[in-house]
Amino acid sequence: ILNVEQSPQSLHVQEGDSTNFTCSFPSSNFYALHWYRWETAKSPEALFVMTLNGDEKKKGRISATLNTKEGYSYLYIKGSQPEDSATYLCAFLVPRGGGNKLTFGTGTQLKVEL
Amino acid sequence: DSGVTQTPKHLITATGQRVTLRCSPRSGDLSVYWYQQSLDQGLQFLIHYYNGEERAKGNILERFSAQQFPDLHSELNLSSLELGDSALYFCASSVSTGPIQYFGAGTRLSVL
């Protein structure tokens, strides 16, 4: 069974705070790691696809790093805003028989308060 | 708007019944994926189709089946429904088999 774990489960921060969350995944047979942002009552939206050890990706105030050797990825949000409130999911991609399977973590629920 | 369309948005049915969920991928996307989100569980991968062919299978129950049609839309059929099948079912699509997946808004199934 593939385990993708995210921590913390939930997080409350104040507007302007910077924050980060962790995604842990198997360090062997790495192919790709996805990060998604999922706002309540909407559909998950892709943030990053990370494939190389040492990868660092950035989108506005959100960035992510990847360490495939030790099996973790960090997602950082700088200067959190209320609109950043969402559940952040990571997903480990496993190629399978010509197709792909994404195994999702249970997510980190972020609430940014004024 | 991701460009992935799922219908219906909500479905209420009774145990033992059969339902069909429909997904239209983004224009040009050949891959369609189905996921289930149950209470207290993360998104669970069900199945992946690419250009009409089944490519990967997750923990999909035998009571569930899917297909992708020549026009690339996909249907997920759920039969002999049980209370535990109540969940949010998402469809996602991607250009081929590797990159970012774009998710639809989901179909919320309630089995009473």
Side-chain angles (χ1 to χ4, degrees), chain A residues 38 43 46 49 96-98 100, chain B residues 37 45 48 55 57 97 100 104:
Chain A
W38 191 2
S43 50
V49 176
R96 177 181 286 187
N100 286 309
Chain B
Q37 165 93 36
F45 168 75
H48 169 204
R55 285 296 186 95
K57 226 170 180 175
T97 58
I100 289 173

Side-chain angles (χ1 to χ4, degrees), chain B:
Chain B
D1 183 4
S2 66
V4 178
T5 304
Q6 287 188 249
T7 55
K9 283 190 166 52
H10 302 277
L11 200 46
I12 301 174
T13 188
T15 54
Q17 296 297 305
R18 174 190 167 95
V19 296
T20 297
L21 312 184
R22 184 187 166 102
C23 171
S24 293
R26 292 188 326 152
S27 176
D29 284 0
L30 299 178
S31 274
V32 169
Y33 310 81
W34 285 99
Y35 295 89
Q36 179 192 55
Q37 165 93 36
S38 302
L39 268 170
D40 300 328
Q41 286 213 5
L43 277 167
Q44 302 288 318
F45 168 75
L46 294 177
I47 199 161
H48 169 204
Y49 274 85
Y50 174 77
N51 203 20
E53 289 183 6
E54 181 187 304
R55 285 296 186 95
K57 226 170 180 175
N59 296 327
I60 186 167
L61 298 171
E62 283 191 19
R63 299 183 286 108
F64 295 3
S65 64
Q67 51 184 328
Q68 186 180 26
F69 294 86
D71 68 353
L72 301 176
H73 91 271
S74 178
E75 291 180 357
L76 180 68
N77 300 297
L78 315 176
S79 61
S80 302
L81 284 167
E82 300 175 1
L83 297 177
D85 297 328
S86 296
L88 195 49
Y89 291 85
F90 282 105
C91 161
S93 73
S94 66
V95 169
S96 60
T97 58
I100 289 173
Q101 295 181 19
Y102 295 86
F103 280 75
T107 292
R108 183 168 294 281
L109 173 67
S110 297
V111 182
L112 305 178

Side-chain angles (χ1 to χ4, degrees), chain A residues 15-29:
Chain A
E15 184 181 9
D17 287 350
S18 292
T19 186
N20 65 84
F21 343 120
T22 306
C23 173
S24 302
F25 51 85
S27 57
S28 58
N29 299 318

Side-chain angles (χ1 to χ4, degrees), chain A residues 23-102:
Chain A
C23 173
S24 302
F25 51 85
S27 57
S28 58
N29 299 318
F30 180 84
Y31 189 76
L33 188 85
H34 293 208
W35 279 100
Y36 286 83
R37 181 171 176 272
W38 191 2
E39 284 183 75
T40 304
K42 294 188 178 179
S43 50
E45 175 195 352
L47 289 173
F48 307 113
V49 176
M50 309 188 77
T51 55
L52 297 174
N53 186 41
D55 242 358
E56 183 167 342
K57 300 223 171 176
K58 193 172 177 182
K59 190 175 182 176
R61 293 178 292 99
I62 304 177
S63 60
T65 61
L66 179 69
N67 183 324
T68 60
K69 291 183 179 176
E70 294 183 36
Y72 64 84
S73 176
Y74 293 138
L75 189 82
Y76 301 91
I77 301 180
K78 189 176 173 182
S80 303
Q81 299 296 309
E83 57 265 30
D84 296 328
S85 297
T87 296
Y88 291 83
L89 297 166
C90 68
F92 185 76
L93 184 73
V94 177
R96 177 181 286 187
N100 286 309
K101 175 184 172 179
L102 271 180

